[in-house]
Amino acid sequence: METLLIHKSHLQGKLFQKLIEDLKQNNVKINIGQRLSMLLPVSPQPLDNFHVEYGALECNVEVVDSLQDAVQHIHSYGSGHTDVIVTENTTAAEEFTRAVDSACVFVNCSSRFSDGYRFGLGAEVGISTSRIHARGPVGIQGLLTTKWILKGRGETVEEFTAGRNERILFSSPCRYWRSLKEGYHLKLRRIGRREHERRKKS
């Protein structure tokens, strides 16, 4: 995770404090955004660049006023790879999956599920956030790109690694995951670019 966006309504509650404490306990370096820095009584030097990918135990934390504000931030600074919303509001979750134009959009589960093998594609040979990838003569499949939407109930990748639920059964690639441990259910959908555009307009 490079950036954590939190709604302003959570700043005065226990959630924000718990998130910061958990990050610190796991030795994560926290960079505070400019908007958040103005709302805190004491704040370090605010961050001025959200485009950095750290590749380390380091992340940005910023406050947003609304879901639309969060989506705008993602489109301005995100990589277009994987974005996640954590919410109990199903309407907000649906709006997030429609509005965010990233290759993978997840609801209430870990971003680490973004993996070709876990999607039923076989060994992952690379990643892409581009819209077109074909070369030479192009058929209809060469013109299509996809968006992956994964919905969970708080699952993490650790729960599905070797020694725990190491087997994940695919009913077919890109449809449903059902772990062997009863009680877990991750629903994965793959939609084409045209479908994504239609959903955004509707």
Side-chain angles (χ1 to χ4, degrees):
M1 180 182 71
E2 306 294 344
T3 299
L4 171 65
L5 301 176
I6 186 165
H7 191 271
K8 62 181 181 181
S9 64
H10 292 298
L11 292 183
Q12 303 304 320
K14 296 181 180 180
L15 177 62
F16 176 70
Q17 190 63 36
K18 181 70 164 55
L19 286 170
I20 298 301
E21 289 176 358
D22 285 349
L23 290 172
K24 289 181 177 179
Q25 287 177 4
N26 287 278
N27 300 313
V28 177
K29 180 182 177 181
I30 301 171
N31 303 306
I32 300 297
Q34 292 188 6
R35 294 176 65 182
L36 179 56
S37 69
M38 292 186 292
L39 299 174
L40 298 177
V42 178
S43 173
Q45 180 70 25
L47 178 75
D48 60 0
N49 184 7
F50 281 96
H51 290 290
V52 177
E53 293 190 24
Y54 300 107
L57 290 176
E58 185 171 359
C59 77
N60 309 321
V61 179
E62 182 61 295
V63 64
V64 291
D65 294 331
S66 64
L67 176 63
Q68 293 73 25
D69 195 15
V71 170
Q72 182 59 49
H73 187 285
I74 290 169
H75 288 167
S76 297
Y77 301 106
S79 66
H81 189 288
T82 302
D83 290 289
V84 182
I85 185 173
V86 177
T87 182
E88 295 177 342
N89 186 321
T90 56
T91 301
E94 289 299 324
E95 175 61 24
F96 187 81
T97 59
R98 282 196 302 266
V100 173
D101 189 19
S102 294
C104 301
V105 183
F106 296 169
V107 177
N108 294 334
C109 55
S110 171
S111 61
R112 291 178 61 203
F113 281 113
S114 181
D115 177 87
Y117 171 75
R118 296 182 184 278
F119 284 3
L121 303 179
E124 184 173 290
V125 296
I127 59 173
S128 174
T129 57
S130 65
R131 303 295 192 277
I132 187 73
H133 52 275
R135 297 184 70 192
V138 178
I140 186 64
Q141 289 300 319
L143 297 176
L144 301 179
T145 57
T146 55
K147 177 177 179 178
W148 302 84
I149 299 175
L150 179 62
K151 296 181 180 179
R153 300 172 183 167
E155 291 86 352
T156 64
V157 168
E158 185 180 8
E159 297 171 88
F160 293 85
T161 53
R164 299 196 180 193
N165 304 310
E166 58 186 72
R167 288 183 59 202
I168 298 177
L169 301 181
F170 296 91
S171 58
S172 68
C174 320
R175 290 198 180 175
Y176 294 93
W177 289 350
R178 292 183 180 87
S179 75
L180 295 181
K181 183 177 179 182
E182 186 178 356
Y184 286 103
H185 184 199
L186 290 168
K187 183 177 180 182
L188 178 67
R189 298 204 330 267
R190 179 183 185 181
I191 63 175
R193 174 60 49 183
R194 290 182 181 177
E195 173 69 4
H196 169 61
E197 295 299 331
R198 184 188 70 77
R199 287 168 180 266
K200 284 176 66 178
K201 294 176 181 177
S202 62

